[in-house]
Amino acid sequence: MEAVKMGATERRKKIQAVTVLSVLGVLIVLAFLVSMNTGYTRLSPLDVIRTLFGGGTAKQELILFDFRLPRIVISVLIGAGLAVSGCILQGLSRNPLADPGILGINAGAGLMVVLFISFFPSKTAAPVLFLPILAFVGAGVTAAIIYGLAYKKHEGLSPTSLVLTGIAVAAGISALMVVLTLRLNPQNYQFVAVWLAGSIWGSNWKFVVALLPWLIVLLPYVFYKARVLNVINLGEQMATGLGAPVEKERLGLLAASVGIAGACVAVGGGIGFVGLIGPHLARRLIGPKHEMLLPASALVGGLLMIVADTIARVVIQPAEIPTGIVVAIIGAPYFLYLLARAR
């Protein structure tokens, strides 16, 4: 009888999870359509449909295919990537406040990108494709430093120590970036300042090509390792007792998280809190099992970013504010709320 009840409960949870994922997918499609219709130059839904099928004017095609569509696609990809990266970090550290921005991984990636665009400001195809690699190196070195400082031999990875170490390292890197930006000429300084604020500066198809391979390679690996994340989330001793090679799996998943976050930062700039909010909201909607939590986090992150970017483009037209600022306005109060709950 108990087995039958458990089976029925599992089926209900699966149906609920599939329903939530479907609703999130529909919301992203709706946000996508609204974002295509929104901007300084108005395009009606009919104009958008006609342009998508090749019936628009040259101006409409330029606005839609060269400006809006690549930016919208990049927003969704960045949001999904950062949310999955945050979900991995929260699972590995068993800390609900873990996030690639808060832990300093974004800052490490940003430092390498700032160094590159400061001394080699060319935006030709080769540097654009090279940026995610540089960001991965910067994020990887930063993650290694934070991991080494937070890890204790006989105690493992302390969640509190991880967050505090990450905040300290991020503060140090941010101070270093301020020093570097003071030495730039006015043109490069303005560009770096906008990039650090989280402006989706790479709003053309070259940046989609630069980001997409990282997500195509790393996201399936992470989804495949969802059950491993479930086991690690039980605690290091329990996971070892169940036969999981904890250290090996942790390093592989950490490298995937760093790679995803680094590539997203290289294209989107210093956008924070998506990796914190996405997994939290997904967990509330769908539960803690990573088989469903990871794709739900990706969808929530993508939805959050596309909405934030649309708001950033229209709130002070004809100018726009960096998307990272809109996300921070949403994310900072939520972070304080979670911090208060943790206490």
Side-chain angles (χ1 to χ4, degrees):
M1 193 68 178
E2 287 294 326
V4 174
K5 287 183 179 179
M6 287 179 65
T9 303
E10 285 297 318
R11 280 195 298 273
R12 278 199 304 271
K13 286 182 178 179
K14 284 184 179 180
I15 293 171
Q16 181 183 355
V18 171
T19 303
V20 169
L21 292 176
S22 302
V23 170
L24 288 172
V26 170
L27 289 175
I28 286 179
V29 172
L30 292 176
F32 202 98
L33 294 173
V34 170
S35 190
M36 283 195 294
N37 289 303
T38 305
Y40 180 65
T41 302
R42 295 285 180 180
L43 294 178
S44 69
L46 189 60
D47 289 335
V48 170
I49 294 170
R50 189 164 48 237
T51 306
L52 286 173
F53 287 96
T57 65
K59 182 181 177 181
Q60 289 171 340
E61 289 181 358
L62 177 69
I63 292 170
L64 191 63
F65 292 116
D66 291 355
F67 294 105
R68 289 190 188 169
L69 266 179
R71 180 160 178 163
I72 295 168
V73 171
I74 287 172
S75 297
V76 174
L77 293 178
I78 289 173
L82 289 175
V84 169
S85 180
C87 188
I88 296 167
L89 292 174
Q90 289 175 17
L92 292 177
S93 64
R94 292 177 291 119
N95 189 333
L97 300 179
D99 162 79
I102 295 167
L103 295 184
I105 292 172
N106 285 5
L111 177 61
M112 291 296 289
V113 175
V114 168
L115 282 170
F116 181 77
I117 62 180
S118 300
F119 295 102
F120 305 97
S122 169
K123 297 176 192 175
T124 57
V128 165
L129 296 174
F130 191 51
L131 283 179
I133 299 173
L134 281 174
F136 174 71
V137 172
V141 171
T142 305
I145 292 170
I146 294 169
Y147 187 88
L149 292 173
Y151 188 82
K152 295 181 180 179
K153 189 173 182 181
H154 299 293
E155 298 178 19
L157 198 64
S158 166
T160 304
S161 176
L162 182 70
V163 170
L164 293 176
T165 304
I167 291 172
V169 171
I173 292 173
S174 298
L176 180 58
M177 281 197 284
V178 170
V179 173
L180 288 170
T181 55
L182 292 176
R183 303 180 60 186
L184 299 175
N185 62 50
Q187 184 179 359
N188 283 349
Y189 176 82
Q190 183 179 6
F191 175 74
V192 170
V194 172
W195 184 88
L196 289 173
S199 173
I200 300 180
W201 63 288
S203 54
N204 63 57
W205 294 110
K206 288 187 296 186
F207 291 86
V208 176
V209 173
L211 175 59
L212 204 54
W214 291 78
L215 300 182
I216 289 174
V217 171
L218 294 175
L219 288 182
Y221 168 78
V222 172
F223 293 156
Y224 176 71
K225 293 291 183 179
R227 291 187 179 182
V228 174
L229 270 172
N230 290 338
V231 174
I232 292 176
N233 209 25
L234 296 173
E236 192 164 338
Q237 291 183 346
M238 178 74 77
T240 304
L242 291 172
V246 176
E247 203 61 34
K248 177 184 173 184
E249 296 288 3
R250 180 187 283 146
L251 288 174
L253 286 164
L254 183 60
S257 175
V258 167
I260 293 169
C264 292
V265 169
V267 173
I271 297 172
F273 294 111
V274 177
L276 176 73
I277 299 173
H280 264 278
L281 293 179
R283 197 175 287 109
R284 283 174 172 268
L285 292 170
I286 220 158
K289 287 190 176 182
H290 286 85
E291 291 90 343
M292 291 295 183
L293 179 59
L294 285 166
S297 298
L299 291 174
V300 172
L303 180 62
L304 174 64
M305 273 297 297
I306 194 173
V307 170
D309 187 56
T310 304
I311 293 171
R313 286 192 286 116
V314 302
V315 71
I316 55 169
Q317 287 181 356
E320 64 178 62
I321 58 178
T323 306
I325 292 177
V326 177
V327 176
I329 291 171
I330 299 169
Y334 194 73
F335 176 71
L336 294 174
Y337 162 72
L338 292 175
L339 198 61
R341 277 192 60 191
R343 289 180 178 178

